[in-house]
Amino acid sequence: MSNPLLREFNTPFDTAPFDKIKTEHFMPAIQEGIRLAKEEIESIKSQALPTFENTIEALDLAGKKLGIISGIFFNLNSAETSDEIQKLAREISPLLTQHSNDILLDKDLFLRVQQIFKQQDELKLSPEQKTLLEKTYKAFVRNGANLSEEDADKLRKIDQELAQLSLQFGENVLAETNKFVHFVDKESEVEGLPESIKEAAAQTAEEKGKAGQWAFTLDYPSYIPAMTYLKNRELRKKLFIAYNTKSSKGDELDNQETIKKILNLRHQRARLLGYSSHSHFVLEERMAKSPKAVMDFLENLLVQAKPKAEEELEELSKFANDLDGLERLEKWDFAYYSELLKKEKYELDDELLRPYFQLENVIDGVFQTAGKLYGLKFKANQEIPVYHKDVTAYEVQDLQGNHISVFYADFFPRPGKRNGAWMTSYKGQFKLEGKDQRPHVSIVCNFTKPTKSKPSLLTFNEVTTLFHEFGHALHGMLANSKYESLSGTSVFWDFVELPSQIFENWCYEKECLDLLAKHYETGEKIPEDLIERIKKASNYLQGYQTVRQISFGLLDMAYHSQDPSQIEDIFDFEKEVMKKTELLPSVPNTLMSTAFSHIFQGGYSSGYYSYKWAEVLDADAFELFQEKGVFDEETAKSFQKNILAAGGTEHPSILYKRFRGRDPQPDALMRRAGLVKKQ
């Protein structure tokens, strides 16, 4: 049987042949991909004299087939997994880790790279070539090329184990999310839920064999509205406890020991490579540069945000007491009462806005926004194979009809998909022999599904999530680098959120809302007074939300910037770290760490601060758009050229300065968040 992953794809734009791929194809394809990549490495080593072209450029091109196959596999493991795929991931992951280590610990290969690195001043390299050389050299050094044989073996073992533990962490969280469902059979118990959410809960119950009841799960489109609207305080508490005890119950899905192992192995790895901690290792390759810089940044933000947050909580507590005689505001009360207070203060709530944000209209508006800014056109293409019926594939073109990218959109929750929202890619952009290889980019979300009587109607928060992920997608789609490893989102981690977070700003602008917000039944555009209320409410609880984000960043740094061998109890450790950012009473036996996938499964270890760091950049950058006009052609062209298209070809501070004309000014974020007064 021929393997579709190993032959020409023969699909539009050489896209992944999802309609032909079976789970059993992956292992032989990965093994063959590794064999081909090893041949390419041996060919590089066999060249007589190392040159930039036959070593550094050749390394960037090596393993392309393996990269595409493994990209397809691991993207499916996140978006459309199964028991078989998860089992396979546990077998494939160590093979890929070993292969990567075989390359980065190859002494002969490193000597070639080192030789070119030492000669760089004589080579007349372009800025992009210099960046590639430096990145390649550092990849070897930071992955143990200078270690002794004995220490290199230790590193291999650590990397193998870390790869497995990370997979285990994610599998446990997904299993915990999928296994929880709570049914109620009395309509009085779902009082407060908007009709559309009630209908969705009834539909879920019917799908799970309990017609006539209402079902609540831990998927975002079920959990978030339940916490926001359910009048039933006990049910809110039950759901909150379930959500915040994921993988922490002492059973086979518990992640506490997994966390300790991950932390200790990361620390051992950093020490082996000569760094004080995992954070010191990670931050060497970030804009922030050091744990101290990150901690100073977070602490300074906390000083400015916490008084505002405490003020907000005081107002909310008084409101809940006046309304319902609530003596103590608990964490499961926060979303419910904050939504009621928002309605009172701004005459605004999600249910008032939802009818204006039908998913199809929002997608069309996002496409139009990208068109007005960057001259892009999106055309659904049913010839491109997809991995699930909910996924839509688009061809992306510029105004001249040139092919720019393939774009996949996957919006609804299902059992095989992890929670949250993310952007990923199936194929990166690069240039080879005069031909521009264009990227294949995907965004994956978990939005409110259509019901029997209503289309998918988004909350405003879901709208901003879609814009956020689409901002990442633009970074990938508009990439214009020679080398794939410097292309698109291959940038410093605390710079990668700039394109996503800046794109969220357009959601608050009338010119943009006019493109996407129209009533799903009447077709009426969103009224101007509603837009004004959205803008006024944009700073609602900003102090609280800022402190919450800071708390996650501080927890991440606490785990990774010191020796973790002293951490005996994850519950105690988290509680101690969170003490200074705790604004509501702590809830016994709840834990966020065991489901903190960003830092234990994703790539955000010692990097969660990046969201706030990039907010400084995006607030400052968007002020330029506001000064010139949010669809100003010249500003958009400059952002495309210097940020989106440039990827990681030069240091982000150089690229940012080229766009903005100066370094970023942190006050822009404080102004936007309403934490300091506008001049």
Side-chain angles (χ1 to χ4, degrees), residues 465-480:
T465 297
L466 176 49
F467 269 74
H468 179 100
E469 298 310 332
F470 196 81
H472 280 309
L474 286 169
H475 204 183
M477 289 188 275
L478 290 168
N480 187 27

Side-chain angles (χ1 to χ4, degrees), residues 40-41 44-45 47 49-64 103 108-120 123 125-140 482-486:
E40 290 166 340
I41 296 299
I44 292 169
K45 285 161 63 178
Q47 305 291 318
L49 189 70
T51 65
F52 182 83
E53 289 72 23
N54 72 22
T55 300
I56 307 302
E57 284 190 343
L59 270 172
D60 194 64
L61 288 167
K64 283 273 187 277
I103 294 170
D108 294 336
L109 189 58
F110 176 57
L111 285 173
R112 294 179 69 87
V113 172
Q114 192 176 43
Q115 198 173 328
I116 298 158
F117 186 74
K118 286 177 177 172
Q119 296 168 352
Q120 62 180 295
L123 295 177
L125 302 176
S126 69
E128 188 173 354
Q129 288 173 322
K130 278 183 185 168
T131 303
L132 180 68
L133 175 55
E134 188 176 321
K135 187 172 181 173
T136 307
Y137 176 74
K138 280 185 174 177
F140 278 87
K482 184 176 181 185
Y483 307 113
E484 188 174 359
S485 63
L486 303 179

Side-chain angles (χ1 to χ4, degrees), residues 566-613:
Q566 304 307 308
I567 300 174
E568 289 175 16
D569 187 288
I570 298 294
F571 276 97
D572 290 345
F573 185 83
E574 178 178 304
K575 191 175 178 184
E576 185 59 34
V577 174
M578 298 290 233
K579 223 163 45 181
K580 67 176 166 189
T581 52
E582 200 79 85
L583 295 164
L584 287 160
S586 64
V587 182
N589 302 318
T590 57
L591 196 59
M592 77 154 291
S593 296
T594 47
F596 199 174
S597 299
H598 272 78
I599 67 170
F600 294 119
Q601 184 194 7
Y604 280 84
S605 61
S606 299
Y608 199 86
Y609 76 92
S610 303
Y611 285 104
K612 295 313 288 183
W613 186 277

Side-chain angles (χ1 to χ4, degrees), residues 36 46 151 162 196 218 260 265 283 294 302 376 392 479 506 526 560 564 604:
L36 291 170
S46 70
D151 284 346
L162 278 171
S196 60
L218 301 183
K260 286 187 203 172
L265 287 168
L283 292 164
V294 171
L302 186 60
L376 298 178
T392 305
W506 272 267
I526 190 167
H560 290 109
Y604 280 84

Side-chain angles (χ1 to χ4, degrees), residues 8 30 62 108 119 129 134 163 212 258 285 307 313 321 346 370 420 464 479 490 516 561 584 601 637 649 658-659:
E8 289 296 315
I30 291 281
D108 294 336
Q119 296 168 352
Q129 288 173 322
E134 188 176 321
T258 305
E285 289 295 282
L313 259 294
N321 186 270
Y346 304 103
T464 59
S490 300
L516 59 92
S561 61
L584 287 160
Q601 184 194 7
K637 269 186 184 164
T649 54
R658 210 170 275 155
F659 163 69

